[in-house]
Amino acid sequence: KPEPRMICGVGVIEDYEELADGKKNVLLRGLSRIRIDEIVEREPYIKARITPLAEEISDQTQTETLGGELRRLLAEVIFLREDLSDDLLTRVGMMTHPGVVADFVALYFEESAETKQEIMEMTSIDARAKRVRKLMNEYLRGLSKPKVPEAF
């Protein structure tokens, strides 16, 4: 079994799907970020002493503005990628908390597990939203570039 990350999310399993290879896709409704202080048991599953990590908001207006920017960037991505459903934008539109928007967009569009973990460890909503905004802008630049034929 892999070692758990010392900073991680806690949530409730909403749904899961067993895959042909024995793995599972799990839909988790996140409740909180936590720090593992001590692992007290490993079998049959990990039990730990934890400390909940409070989210930090430095400027409510700036935080809400960043959340709006992430929604706009997501709309641009959906417009440029025909394979994405408008339902995705509807789902994000129903999210009122900028931190939740940042987490969702990062989870959906970032491929690197290391970057996702880096974002998970950020307790500042502003810092998290700014990091995700940067990632989305880079992603959009990649989508906007004209494709060069393979012959060149």
Side-chain angles (χ1 to χ4, degrees), residues 12-27:
V12 175
I13 295 174
E14 294 284 328
D15 196 9
Y16 73 95
E17 163 190 34
E18 290 199 41
L19 304 175
D21 64 2
K23 295 180 181 177
K24 293 181 175 76
N25 278 335
V26 178
L27 175 63

Side-chain angles (χ1 to χ4, degrees), residues 20-91:
D21 64 2
K23 295 180 181 177
K24 293 181 175 76
N25 278 335
V26 178
L27 175 63
L28 185 72
R29 180 172 38 93
L31 300 175
S32 177
R33 284 173 166 70
I34 56 120
R35 180 183 63 239
I36 295 177
D37 297 320
E38 176 187 11
I39 296 176
V40 294
E41 198 171 308
R42 292 189 177 271
E43 296 296 332
Y45 48 84
I46 293 175
K47 290 184 182 178
R49 284 183 182 54
I50 63 164
T51 300
L53 299 174
E55 291 195 320
E56 305 158 11
I57 298 177
S58 57
D59 179 341
Q60 185 69 36
T61 303
Q62 178 182 351
T63 302
E64 289 174 9
T65 300
L66 286 165
E69 285 181 42
L70 292 177
R71 285 186 187 89
R72 182 187 56 76
L73 290 168
L74 180 61
E76 287 183 47
V77 169
I78 291 170
F79 176 76
L80 291 170
R81 284 196 40 196
E82 295 175 5
D83 61 318
L84 294 177
S85 165
D86 289 345
D87 179 56
L88 188 59
L89 191 56
T90 303
R91 288 173 58 195

Side-chain angles (χ1 to χ4, degrees), residues 2 5 23 51 57 81 107 119 121 129 133 138:
R5 304 283 187 149
K23 295 180 181 177
T51 300
I57 298 177
R81 284 196 40 196
L107 176 68
I119 292 165
E121 293 180 7
R133 178 181 63 189
E138 290 168 3

